[in-house]
């Protein structure tokens, strides 16, 4: 029980079975935790069927209704920490994140000295495919904005493809994470950065989903815009972040 990948799902029946098989087929033995927020399309039923193929490695937590990306990951972090996993990963279910790059993220933390490894679209060797140009620009300049406000030397601050060493998540007061949507990813990286943990970016090619429906909307970006200002203010004047004791 060294490595576990957390994938939050809502209506991902088109992708979930193939995603489970893709993760399980990697040469490094990753366990997989699906956090399903009451998908009405039967996503959780498919996971339960796949558990018969991977009974000791595929896990499912079901929650009532859509409670937000951040709360799903926090529930997953707690689940993984209570079971002693050493490397804990975040990943989307839509194949926008290249599954094989889990190996590189693991290597960055297990061998490369990183406490947090980020699958990055915006470092040398990284790129985005099949996104509309407007969305690429919005995402890129969002990360530029976060760097300008926070002074955090991470180029893809909104990335959702991440590996954490367990000691990082264990040090964070998970119940006090403020943001539940897009800004959650920024807050987690900024918290680790402020605590002095080493963050390393690993280049990835991000591919827009082919199957299923994106969960992104304009309100998510609004939360992130204001949230970054709040994070910087809290760090400068409110003693953020507090390390768990």
């Amino acid at each position: 029980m060294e490595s576990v990948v957390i994938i939050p799902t809502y209506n991902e029946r088109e992708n979930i079975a193939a995603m489970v098989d893709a993760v399980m087929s990697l040469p490094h033995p990753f366990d997989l935790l699906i956090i399903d927020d009451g998908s009405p399309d039967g996503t959780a039923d498919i996971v339960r069927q796949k558990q018969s193929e991977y009974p000791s490695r595929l896990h499912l937590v079901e929650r009532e209704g859509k409670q937000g990306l951040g709360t799903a990951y926090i529930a997953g972090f707690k689940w993984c920490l209570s079971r002693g996993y050493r490397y804990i990963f975040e990943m989307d279910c839509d194949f926008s994140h290249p599954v094989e790059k889990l190996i590189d993220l693991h290597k960055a933390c297990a061998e490369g000295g990183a406490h947090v490894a980020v699958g990055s679209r915006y470092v040398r060797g990284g790129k985005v495919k099949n996104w509309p140009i407007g969305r690429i620009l919005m995402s890129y300049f969002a990360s530029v904005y976060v760097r300008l406000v926070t002074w955090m030397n991470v180029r893809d601050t909104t990335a959702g493809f991440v590996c954490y060493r367990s000691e990082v998540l264990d040090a964070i007061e998970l119940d006090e994470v403020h943001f539940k949507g897009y800004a959650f990813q920024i807050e987690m990286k900024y918290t680790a950065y402020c605590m002095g943990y080493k963050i390393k970016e690993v280049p990835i090619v991000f591919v827009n989903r082919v199957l299923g429906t994106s969960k992104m909307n304009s309100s998510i970006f609004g939360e992130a815009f204001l949230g970054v200002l709040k994070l910087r203010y809290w760090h400068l004047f409110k003693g953020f972040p507090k390390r768990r004791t």
Side-chain angles (χ1 to χ4, degrees), residues 6 73-81 90 169 174 184 188:
I6 304 171
Y73 274 126
I74 288 169
F77 293 156
K78 291 179 178 179
W79 188 97
C80 297
L81 289 172
E90 299 178 356
L169 298 177
L174 295 174
F184 168 81
M188 289 297 296

Side-chain angles (χ1 to χ4, degrees), residues 70-91:
T71 66
Y73 274 126
I74 288 169
F77 293 156
K78 291 179 178 179
W79 188 97
C80 297
L81 289 172
S82 71
R83 288 159 176 81
Y85 287 98
R86 188 172 180 187
Y87 302 102
I88 300 170
F89 297 74
E90 299 178 356
M91 187 177 181

Side-chain angles (χ1 to χ4, degrees), residues 26-244:
L26 292 171
H28 181 84
F30 292 95
D31 285 2
L32 184 55
L33 171 63
I34 307 300
I35 309 285
D36 187 70
D37 273 7
S39 297
D41 72 345
T43 298
D45 293 331
I46 296 172
V47 175
R48 278 190 287 271
Q49 293 168 13
K50 298 297 289 183
Q51 283 181 309
S52 64
E53 299 178 39
Y54 311 103
S56 63
R57 296 176 57 198
L58 177 58
H59 309 280
L60 173 66
V61 171
E62 295 182 79
R63 309 195 306 166
E64 292 291 331
K66 295 181 71 175
Q67 300 180 42
L69 179 74
T71 66
Y73 274 126
I74 288 169
F77 293 156
K78 291 179 178 179
W79 188 97
C80 297
L81 289 172
S82 71
R83 288 159 176 81
Y85 287 98
R86 188 172 180 187
Y87 302 102
I88 300 170
F89 297 74
E90 299 178 356
M91 187 177 181
D92 290 347
C93 191
D94 59 7
F95 286 95
S96 57
H97 299 142
V99 178
E100 69 279 4
K101 282 290 185 174
L102 286 168
I103 302 289
D104 292 348
L105 294 181
H106 175 265
K107 186 175 181 180
C109 285
E111 303 174 21
H115 298 99
V116 181
V118 177
S120 178
R121 298 162 287 187
Y122 304 131
V123 293
R124 184 182 297 275
K127 62 180 179 178
V128 177
K129 293 178 64 176
N130 302 332
W131 255 10
I133 186 64
R135 190 168 174 186
I136 293 174
L137 291 173
M138 183 180 293
S139 173
Y140 176 78
F141 284 109
S143 283
V144 172
Y145 165 73
V146 173
R147 295 203 311 276
L148 288 173
V149 173
T150 64
W151 297 8
M152 178 171 55
N153 188 26
V154 176
R155 299 189 65 85
D156 197 347
T157 55
T158 62
F161 191 31
V162 185
C163 173
Y164 294 94
R165 284 195 204 174
S166 60
E167 66 201 70
V168 178
L169 298 177
D170 200 41
I172 295 172
E173 285 281 10
L174 295 174
D175 288 331
E176 295 185 10
V177 174
H178 300 84
F179 301 111
K180 311 306 179 191
Y182 201 57
F184 168 81
Q185 298 292 2
I186 301 168
E187 181 176 356
M188 289 297 296
K189 296 179 187 68
Y190 189 51
T191 299
Y193 168 79
C194 290
M195 287 181 165
Y197 290 112
K198 181 180 178 182
I199 302 174
K200 181 177 181 179
E201 293 185 88
V202 174
I204 67 163
V205 177
F206 181 99
V207 181
N208 195 25
R209 72 159 62 232
V210 174
L211 300 173
T213 303
S214 173
K215 315 305 187 293
M216 298 291 287
N217 58 61
S218 59
S219 66
I220 289 173
F221 289 98
E223 180 201 46
F225 180 84
L226 295 175
V228 172
L229 295 174
K230 291 178 180 178
L231 288 171
R232 184 62 174 166
Y233 174 79
W234 292 334
H235 180 56
L236 291 175
F237 302 108
K238 299 291 185 179
F240 168 89
K242 294 179 181 177
R243 188 177 290 266
R244 192 169 77 90

